[in-house]
Amino acid sequence: MATETEIKLSLPARAASQLAKQAILGGVEPQRQLLINTYYDTADKRLRRERIVVRHRQKGRQCLLTVKTAPMLTAGLAQRSEWEVPGRPGEFDFSHVDDAIVRELLESLRDHLQPIFTTHFRRNVWLLEPRQGVRIELALDRGWIDTRGQRQTIREIELELLAGEVSDLFDVAVELQFNLPLHPETSSKSERAYRLLADVPLATAKALPVVTSASMPTIEAFRLIALSCLHHLQSNEQGVCQSEEPEFVHQARVAIRRLRSAIRLWEPLLPEAFVARFDPLWQELATRLGDTRNWDVFLAETLPGLAEAFPGRGEIDRLSRHAKTRCAGSRRASIRALKSVEYSRLLVDFTAALLALPEAGAGRLAGFVPRCLKKRARRVNERAADALESDVEARHRLRVAFKQLRYAVEFFTPLLSGPQLADYHQSATCLQELLGRLNDLAVAAELTAEALPGGKGAVIETWLAAKSESLLPEFRNFLNHFQQQQAPW
């Protein structure tokens, strides 16, 4: 078994024509290949569910049978097991697969495998040796995916590590990004083909659980959680850019909030330069998406209530027109942010820095978790007193503290136990949602003042203030109940 480690980067057509002119390829002659790949699965797509790929690759006169495990791509990085031997189209001999579980599954499905889709592309390959002991294969693939008459363009770069460290791959990716608009790919060719075959609309992606253990090095846990947040973010990129469904922007923002919460949780153990460099960049991106989210919530949740409360009022019509215009403009700004060169570079730079974090001296997760959770809970209690007696800003600070506590509990759920965990998490979630409703009303008042300046929206602002006031008794009850609960750590 070999382990394949590669970075996938998509690029526009104009950039593909400029690749050969890059200094890093100077003096290296490319090899040119035509690759035709036929992928197989069962009728019920069992291999896809098991995240296994089986294909025959026609490479000139040579035919190769390949078996791969399907990785979760994060910032374009894929690391997976691969088995490849000479084969014949339509014949399947899996004796070379030395993972017994994978081999037994494939052999049980052998008679049910059928062609599902094909990929056709021309590949230009450059062998790079940026320093002694490092060998990287750079491949430019241009062609298409063919799924029963439907086609999708392939235009991407693959950087495969043949010898050296993963950091060497990122060094090459960073150098290429300096002159070319390369974006980390979020899915493999086979994953894109399956989606094309299914012909289903884009779907939002939520955060996936991360498997951690008490014996895990603390920085390794941070790395896994941060990579999961990046995957969550990138899984919603296409939806933000191609759909007006508000949930895509919402989930992208949640991903960034979770990532920034993780950075804050681990900040005492992280290099100061790492936090100082990346946290402001993620905050800036969150702010760009946040404006769109605010207008989405206003249009979907607040404006209908206002229209019902003030039927036929001209202020509501003006407010609605303003909100739709501002929301459309904010959405275009969000799309520009996720299509920007700066965002593509941030994904690669952050992932490279994340993988390079030193682990020595940080200890094990078992010792870190109780200290971390107690600190977050203490901050919630400190801010709760102000929020009960104070203003919108105090409640916003409490909401931020609650989010950090809730995300920490979610990050560390595999390490927590006892009957209190579910109740504690549920209470934290409910209280955060109530704080979110109060925050939405506060933001709605600000947006109304923007849309109807000079007191023209005074009646609406008064109504919003009354709505907020009516939620305060419920908020106090929830907060008191939460503070009386026993923490599950």
Side-chain angles (χ1 to χ4, degrees):
M1 177 186 71
T3 299
E4 181 184 59
T5 301
E6 63 183 13
I7 294 176
K8 293 179 179 288
L9 301 160
S10 60
L11 70 168
R14 68 182 186 279
S17 63
Q18 297 169 3
L19 177 62
K21 302 174 185 177
Q22 300 308 302
I24 196 173
L25 303 184
V28 182
E29 286 297 319
Q31 296 180 3
R32 294 176 173 83
Q33 306 165 345
L34 173 62
L35 302 179
I36 302 173
N37 305 283
T38 302
Y39 290 77
Y40 297 84
D41 205 339
T42 61
D44 63 354
K45 310 299 186 294
R46 175 70 184 278
L47 290 184
R48 187 188 188 190
R49 296 199 303 275
E50 299 290 343
R51 300 190 62 78
I52 295 173
V53 171
V54 173
R55 77 174 184 219
H56 278 117
R57 164 168 286 179
Q58 198 68 39
K59 184 178 177 183
R61 295 183 178 180
Q62 184 182 27
C63 180
L64 298 172
L65 170 63
T66 305
V67 175
K68 296 185 181 185
T69 55
M72 179 179 74
L73 267 70
T74 303
L77 178 65
Q79 293 178 296
R80 56 189 170 187
S81 300
E82 179 184 47
W83 299 267
E84 190 167 69
V85 294
R88 297 177 64 181
E91 296 183 4
F92 303 101
D93 179 0
F94 298 117
S95 59
H96 65 291
V97 178
D98 56 7
D99 183 312
I101 296 176
V102 174
R103 185 178 65 251
E104 288 173 10
L105 172 66
L106 293 174
E107 289 177 344
S108 70
L109 300 176
R110 187 200 319 268
D111 295 337
H112 304 283
L113 295 178
Q114 57 186 356
I116 300 295
F117 49 79
T118 60
T119 61
H120 304 245
F121 54 90
R122 293 190 179 278
R123 168 171 284 183
N124 288 1
V125 179
W126 292 264
L127 184 61
L128 308 181
E129 298 184 5
R131 61 181 178 85
Q132 187 174 4
V134 176
R135 295 171 65 243
I136 293 172
E137 182 181 274
L138 188 159
L140 171 63
D141 295 341
R142 288 179 286 188
W144 65 86
I145 297 167
D146 191 338
T147 60
R148 297 174 183 171
Q150 297 187 83
R151 283 191 174 185
Q152 186 179 91
T153 299
I154 294 172
R155 189 168 52 245
E156 66 184 25
I157 287 173
E158 291 185 1
L159 299 172
E160 183 174 354
L161 185 67
L162 305 181
E165 305 294 331
V166 176
S167 59
D168 296 312
L169 274 185
F170 278 94
D171 288 343
V172 173
V174 168
E175 184 171 347
L176 290 171
Q177 276 190 319
F178 187 77
N179 292 316
L180 300 173
L182 307 180
H183 186 71
E185 183 55 72
T186 58
S187 57
S188 65
K189 295 180 182 71
S190 61
E191 288 172 313
R192 280 172 272 160
Y194 273 118
R195 287 202 297 268
L196 183 63
L197 184 66
D199 193 25
V200 295
L202 290 170
T204 54
K206 295 188 176 183
L208 297 174
V210 180
V211 179
T212 54
S213 64
S215 61
M216 182 179 291
T218 306
I219 296 300
E220 180 184 342
F222 170 70
R223 188 179 293 118
L224 286 176
I225 289 168
L227 289 173
S228 176
C229 293
L230 290 187
H231 180 74
H232 182 196
L233 170 61
Q234 286 206 267
S235 295
N236 290 285
E237 279 177 1
Q238 193 176 1
V240 172
C241 295
Q242 298 181 12
S243 168
E244 294 189 357
E245 168 57 48
E247 188 62 15
F248 286 110
V249 172
H250 180 214
Q251 287 301 321
R253 281 194 73 217
V254 169
I256 299 172
R257 283 205 308 262
R258 287 169 62 87
L259 177 57
R260 294 192 65 225
S261 291
I263 291 173
R264 292 300 183 195
L265 288 172
W266 268 270
E267 186 173 2
L269 303 179
L270 297 174
E272 185 177 339
F274 178 91
V275 178
R277 178 186 178 191
F278 290 111
D279 188 58
L281 296 175
W282 289 119
Q283 182 180 27
E284 180 183 356
L285 182 60
T287 300
R288 292 188 184 185
L289 296 176
D291 192 41
T292 306
R293 177 59 181 166
N294 286 339
W295 286 112
D296 279 338
V297 171
F298 183 83
L299 283 167
E301 301 178 16
T302 308
L303 192 60
L306 289 171
E308 184 177 343
F310 303 101
R313 294 286 292 258
E315 297 99 319
I316 301 299
D317 291 336
R318 290 195 296 273
L319 185 57
S320 177
R321 289 194 297 270
H322 181 86
K324 290 176 181 177
T325 300
R326 290 283 282 111
C327 187
S330 296
R331 193 172 303 283
R332 289 192 295 270
S334 295
I335 293 171
R336 286 195 300 271
L338 294 190
K339 287 187 173 182
S340 69
V341 170
E342 291 78 14
Y343 172 61
S344 298
R345 290 176 179 172
L346 174 58
L347 289 170
V348 172
D349 290 347
F350 180 77
T351 305
L354 192 63
L355 296 175
L357 286 174
E359 295 185 5
R364 300 289 170 177
L365 201 55
F368 175 74
V369 169
R371 296 195 308 271
C372 178
L373 291 176
K374 288 176 182 177
K375 180 179 179 180
R376 294 291 169 244
R378 187 164 57 247
R379 180 174 296 175
V380 165
N381 289 330
E382 290 169 354
R383 295 184 180 181
D386 290 338
L388 285 171
E389 305 298 334
S390 192
D391 56 9
V392 170
E393 286 300 320
R395 288 196 291 272
H396 176 70
R397 289 192 295 271
L398 176 61
R399 180 168 171 253
V400 171
F402 253 109
K403 283 180 182 177
Q404 292 181 340
L405 174 60
R406 177 189 167 191
Y407 292 149
V409 172
E410 291 176 357
F411 293 154
F412 302 139
T413 292
L415 281 72
L416 304 175
S417 60
Q420 300 95 350
L421 176 60
D423 290 341
Y424 190 87
H425 184 263
Q426 180 64 25
S427 294
T429 301
C430 290
L431 190 47
Q432 184 185 325
E433 289 175 352
L434 183 55
L435 284 165
R437 288 162 60 193
L438 286 165
N439 182 73
D440 290 342
L441 290 168
V443 171
E446 295 175 3
L447 301 182
T448 300
E450 173 193 314
L452 303 171
K456 297 175 184 177
V459 65
I460 295 174
E461 293 176 50
T462 300
W463 185 87
L464 292 169
K467 277 286 186 182
S468 294
E469 192 68 27
S470 70
L471 291 175
L472 292 182
E474 184 181 1
F475 163 64
R476 294 188 181 98
N477 289 335
F478 265 113
L479 186 57
N480 288 331
H481 173 70
F482 179 81
Q483 289 178 306
Q484 293 169 8
Q485 283 189 293
Q486 182 178 350
W489 56 81

